[in-house]
Amino acid sequence: LRLSSKDQTIAAADEVVGSITFNNNDVSTGMAGVMAKIDAASNRLYDGDNASGMNLRFFAGDKGDGVNTPPERMRIDSSGNVGIGTTSPAYQLDVHGSGNSRIRVKNTSVTGEAQFHHDGNGDLYIKNSVSGRNLAFVNNGTERMRIDSTGQIDFNSNARIEEDGLFKSSNGTATAPSHAFLNDPDNGMFRATT
């Protein structure tokens, strides 16, 4: 366990100034070696005017792969960005992966989960697997669209597209038609109630 650098000079980017290493010494199973590691490494050379920033790096792997230094899995860079699967996170949370890369959010008080992922073809999926519940889209503090558990799409509670593709809307009026033209919102179609 080494928590401080042996000197104060940062000679190169990625120079480690402190680390915690987790070793397994069980040689009988062939699993002896470094199993995981956390270190702090410089993100650039110290130039005399600007102190080198530090990245906090997390390594983990399977010693069964014959590699004594496990691969980097996550990094918090000197600007606070968190990268999973990348050593150069460009955003507050930057997740990289191959195949079905996904982020999962699970609420333990219900059965099911929410997922956001790309499949192997690059198609984007937003998934709510909680039975009988909805997928809502909120903008500027107001719900703008909802897909309910039957596949029906509702827009601001004024119009909907049903699972069979049938479009339904409120009746509207002559001055506020339910089906208006884009550049002429007070002219359009409505259902007369008389």
Side-chain angles (χ1 to χ4, degrees):
L1 176 62
R2 180 163 63 91
L3 299 178
S4 61
S5 175
K6 62 183 180 296
D7 58 50
Q8 299 300 312
T9 302
I10 303 298
D14 291 328
E15 180 175 328
V16 175
V17 298
S19 64
I20 301 173
T21 302
F22 303 88
N23 287 0
N24 184 356
N25 295 318
D26 186 358
V27 295
S28 65
T29 62
M31 295 293 287
V34 177
M35 304 297 292
K37 180 174 67 170
I38 302 169
D39 71 27
S42 61
N43 68 358
R44 61 185 183 274
L45 177 67
Y46 177 73
D47 62 11
D49 294 321
N50 297 303
S52 177
M54 289 292 140
N55 298 320
L56 191 61
R57 308 183 302 181
F58 297 80
F59 302 79
D62 181 0
K63 186 60 181 69
D65 60 13
V67 178
N68 196 47
T69 302
E72 182 177 333
R73 303 297 188 184
M74 187 177 79
R75 158 182 309 220
I76 304 172
D77 72 10
S78 59
S79 64
N81 291 339
V82 177
I84 299 174
T86 176
T87 59
S88 302
Y91 306 97
Q92 287 88 346
L93 178 60
D94 200 347
V95 180
H96 292 214
S98 60
N100 289 319
S101 301
R102 65 187 65 208
I103 297 173
R104 181 176 78 162
V105 179
K106 185 166 181 61
N107 184 339
T108 57
S109 64
V110 297
T111 302
E113 62 193 27
Q115 292 186 11
F116 181 89
H117 76 277
H118 271 123
D119 69 4
N121 297 317
D123 293 323
L124 177 64
Y125 288 81
I126 301 172
K127 176 182 176 183
N128 179 10
S129 67
V130 180
S131 179
R133 304 310 299 167
N134 308 308
L135 182 62
F137 297 84
V138 176
N139 183 35
N140 197 28
T142 301
E143 183 177 318
R144 306 298 183 181
M145 185 177 78
R146 168 181 297 238
I147 304 173
D148 72 15
S149 60
T150 68
Q152 179 174 285
I153 303 174
D154 292 318
F155 300 94
N156 291 332
S157 303
N158 296 319
R160 78 173 46 145
I161 300 173
E162 298 194 341
E163 189 177 11
D164 58 6
L166 185 64
F167 180 78
K168 294 183 176 180
S169 68
S170 59
N171 290 335
T173 66
T175 57
S178 54
H179 302 276
F181 299 106
L182 181 63
N183 295 320
D184 194 3
D186 59 351
N187 286 297
M189 297 179 292
F190 69 98
R191 180 176 182 268
T193 57
T194 57

